[in-house]
């Protein structure tokens, strides 16, 4: 029925009236700004985020990560300082270090000094004093002592007390700007510089395995570096061919989308009938096994009779097992056939929409390249977040703490001053303790709330990333809606529909997109916190806490998926009607709920075909790359590069091809979802009369047994 304003009402299953404009012909141009308050908040948050980055840039110093830091908070290799030519960090007594992780975290309880190169021989301070007549011995050894120390006659006790020189040095090589023992293996025996024993500087002889225990896992790390160098070489020699393979993947993805208008139904029905055939064969095989076991001794026993068996083959000797399999497969076969019978029209609609989506992309080819804009926006967000996080993490002045060499020291972990540490009572109460650099921090408001700022950095990052994705979805939805609501295709399709849709989304609906992104970012932020708590509770024995945390993670994962579904369809309605987020989300939700079976069928059919397309693209390009990089294509054998590991470019090509296909198919999925909502609106709005004709394709009208009544001549 019509109201006084000329609009029509439609009452859904929930009884809510919906007003329709009979003159509606696609995304409206006369719009108003929506969710203005959220837009203002979003802009203020962005400005605050920029301010946070500026403050972090002022207080932070990334050199604290780039350069290794000695026991005095000085950077190794920093230009313009005394350590400019001293690029690596050496540990006075590496035996005090428990593991490489301790070394990398600068928490080893021994003096750390910047040096120009790592030692290349075994030597001790005592041996140096014993060879006092040999000046070259001292000249070599003193380069690993504190700058300015030039008293080789000083006793070893005083030297170690004042931290002037190391008691010993070991042959090392730099890794992560730090000197690690140069381990190697000879005939299965661990050695350092071809030696299995060494002097520890206190007059004792020790085995190099003690060094290995102090630097546990170093060999694996160094081997990883060697593998990394080979991988880098492979990329350097094969990058050109990798780019060619990725270009081929892009072409195949594009062709697949274009050909879907002809092959969507073929692919789907081949798969369905293939499944029916496989299940039918399974039924026949189960019957054959069941019949062959007739009369075999023991085959008539029941599963209950033999009880629980670890060897599954025992059950395969029973007729009951094959009978159960046959019954299950029969049920599955009947369900599939019944679903095909009762859902055949909905499946045909889904396939027709997939074909229509391919046709829409063919008319608006620019949409295939819009994901590049989304990728650039997300890359900017990630870069800004990472840089801000680094500057926040490196804010503050150098803080020194007491590192005790004993199991217990009452001053362990307390703040100390390296200049006056040796004059305090700490060295007497905790023999062997060191005042070493711990971290960067401070006591001001900014430093006390660094954690809060890091959390804010993560949250705003999630918000901006979700906004970038939302902007892309709304832009694509507006372009494809322009295609659907063009009565004569392609003549009535507006000029530059993608650009126009992008302009509408930015100009009028920044607030609505920010609102939907905010809701999703909140849920994702909670999930991040839950993951952090789960990581902390892994060593806990509290089973109830683990169970509760697992339930919360599951619930919020489901909530995130649901919100993504709601947001996606809300952005489509925003792109079409220009309403605010809540109204659009409500309209989209109830529209889909009135057609829930169609939604389920379309979703599964689309997921199947797009998954098949991704596997087809990644698999075909991967197979081609495998034969090329393994030199199994005779025509171009000489062109293939020489590689250390052929799987390096191969995996890169396969993963890259899958991501490229995912980027193209995400546009296609958005196209299908948009056309589906437009299709549902079309059915509810129009009746095929001359005043209210259907905008759907002729194939869809044929499936629904509908048609447009020709307009009467004037």
């Amino acid at each position: 029925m019509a109201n006084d304003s000329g609009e029509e009402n439609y009452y859904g299953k929930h009884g809510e009236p919906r007003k329709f404009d009979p003159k509606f012909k696609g995304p409206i141009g006369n719009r108003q700004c929506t969710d203005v308050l959220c837009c203002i908040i979003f802009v203020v948050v962005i400005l605050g985020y920029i301010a946070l980055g500026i403050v972090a840039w002022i207080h932070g110093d990334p050199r604290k990560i780039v350069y290794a830091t000695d026991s005095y908070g000085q950077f190794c290799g920093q230009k313009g300082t005394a350590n400019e030519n001293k690029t690596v960090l050496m540990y006075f007594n590496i035996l005090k270090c428990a593991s490489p992780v301790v070394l990398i975290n600068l928490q080893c309880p021994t003096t750390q000094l910047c040096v120009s190169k790592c030692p290349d021989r075994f030597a001790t301070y005592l041996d140096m004093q014993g060879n006092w007549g040999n000046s070259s011995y001292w000249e070599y050894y003193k380069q690993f002592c504190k700058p300015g120390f030039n008293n080789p006659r000083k006793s070893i006790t005083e030297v170690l007390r004042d931290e002037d020189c190391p008691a010993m040095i070991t042959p090392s090589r730099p890794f992560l700007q730090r000197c690690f023992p140069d381990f190697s293996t000879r005939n299965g025996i661990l050695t350092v510089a071809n030696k299995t024993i060494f002097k520890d500087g206190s007059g004792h002889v020790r085995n190099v395995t003690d060094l290995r225990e102090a630097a546990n896992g170093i060999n694996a790390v160094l081997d990883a570096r060697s593998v990394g160098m080979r991988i880098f070489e492979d990329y350097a020699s094969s990058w050109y061919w990798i780019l060619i393979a990725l270009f081929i993947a892009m072409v195949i993805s594009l062709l697949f989308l274009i050909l879907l208008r002809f092959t969507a139904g073929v692919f789907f029905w081949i798969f369905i009938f293939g499944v029916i055939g496989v299940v039918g064969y399974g039924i026949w095989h189960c019957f054959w096994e069941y019949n062959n076991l007739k009369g075999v001794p023991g085959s008539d026993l029941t599963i209950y009779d033999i009880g629980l068996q670890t060897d599954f083959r025992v059950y395969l000797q029973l007729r009951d097992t094959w009978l159960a399999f046959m019954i299950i497969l029969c049920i599955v076969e009947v369900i599939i056939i019944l679903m095909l019978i009762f859902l055949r029209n909905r499946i045909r609609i889904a396939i027709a929409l997939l074909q229509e989506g391919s046709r829409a992309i063919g008319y608006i080819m620019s949409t295939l390249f819009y994901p590049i804009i989304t990728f650039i926006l997300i890359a900017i967000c990630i870069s800004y977040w990472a840089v801000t996080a680094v500057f926040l993490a490196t804010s503050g002045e150098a803080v020194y703490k007491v590192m005790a060499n004993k199991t217990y020291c009452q001053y362990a972990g307390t703040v100390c001053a390296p200049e006056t540490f040796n004059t305090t009572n700490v060295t007497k109460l905790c023999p062997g303790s060191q005042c070493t650099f711990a971290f960067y921090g401070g006591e001001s408001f900014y430093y006390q709330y660094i954690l809060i700022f890091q959390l804010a950095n993560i949250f705003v990052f999630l918000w901006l990333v979700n906004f970038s994705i939302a902007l892309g979805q709304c832009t694509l939805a507006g372009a494809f809606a322009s295609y659907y609501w063009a009565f004569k295709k392609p003549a009535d399709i507006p000029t530059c529909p993608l650009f126009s849709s992008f302009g509408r989304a930015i100009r009028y609906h920044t607030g609505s997109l920010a609102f939907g992104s905010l809701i999703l970012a909140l849920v994702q932020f909670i999930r991040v916190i839950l993951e952090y708590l789960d990581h902390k509770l892994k060593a806990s024995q509290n089973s109830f806490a683990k169970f509760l945390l697992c339930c919360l993670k599951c619930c919020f994962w489901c909530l995130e998926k649901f919100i993504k579904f709601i947001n996606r369809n809300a952005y489509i309605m925003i792109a079409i009607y220009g309403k605010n987020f809540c109204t659009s989300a409500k309209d989209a939700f109830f529209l889909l709920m009135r057609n829930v079976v169609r939604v389920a069928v379309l979703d599964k059919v689309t997921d199947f075909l797009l998954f098949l397309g991704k596997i087809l693209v990644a698999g075909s390009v991967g197979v081609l790359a495998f034969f090329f990089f393994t030199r199994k294509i005779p025509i171009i054998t000489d062109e293939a590069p020489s590689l250390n590991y052929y799987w390096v470019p191969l995996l890169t090509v396969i993963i890259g091809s899958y991501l490229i296909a995912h980027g193209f198919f995400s546009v296609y999925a958005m196209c299908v979802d948009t056309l589906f909502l437009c299709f549902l609106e079309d059915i509810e709005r129009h009746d095929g009369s001359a005043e209210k004709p259907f905008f759907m394709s002729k194939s869809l009208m044929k499936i629904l047994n509908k048609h447009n009544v020709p307009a009467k001549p004037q």
Side-chain angles (χ1 to χ4, degrees), residues 4 84 89 115 159 263 297 381 385 427 437 441 489-490 514 572 582 600 641 643 663 667 700 713:
D4 296 336
E84 181 174 357
L89 191 71
V115 295
V159 166
T263 59
C381 295
W385 164 78
T427 55
F437 168 77
K489 303 175 178 62
I572 296 174
C582 292
L643 302 171
V667 174
L700 284 171

Side-chain angles (χ1 to χ4, degrees), residues 626-634 637-643:
F626 172 78
F627 283 112
F628 174 75
F629 289 120
T630 55
R631 300 173 179 266
K632 293 183 178 180
I633 303 179
T637 299
D638 296 336
E639 300 293 334
S642 179
L643 302 171

Side-chain angles (χ1 to χ4, degrees), residues 570-647:
Y571 299 146
I572 296 174
M573 300 298 276
I574 290 172
I576 299 174
Y577 298 109
K579 298 180 180 179
N580 61 50
F581 176 80
C582 292
T583 302
S584 299
K586 181 194 68 174
D587 291 344
F589 179 76
F590 286 121
L591 178 63
L592 294 173
M593 288 301 101
R594 290 194 295 271
N595 300 271
V596 64
V597 178
R598 284 175 175 164
V599 172
V601 172
L602 178 70
D603 184 60
K604 296 309 173 186
V605 172
T606 305
D607 287 347
F608 163 70
L609 287 178
L610 294 187
F611 175 76
L612 185 66
K614 293 174 186 177
I615 297 300
L616 177 64
V617 172
S620 58
V621 177
V623 169
L624 180 63
F626 172 78
F627 283 112
F628 174 75
F629 289 120
T630 55
R631 300 173 179 266
K632 293 183 178 180
I633 303 179
I635 302 177
I636 52 176
T637 299
D638 296 336
E639 300 293 334
S642 179
L643 302 171
N644 296 300
Y645 310 109
Y646 72 85
W647 52 264

Side-chain angles (χ1 to χ4, degrees), residues 178 261 319 336 399 487 527 543 700:
R178 292 159 177 82
R261 73 176 71 177
R319 300 186 74 201
I336 294 175
V399 175
F487 189 73
R527 289 194 64 201
S543 300
L700 284 171

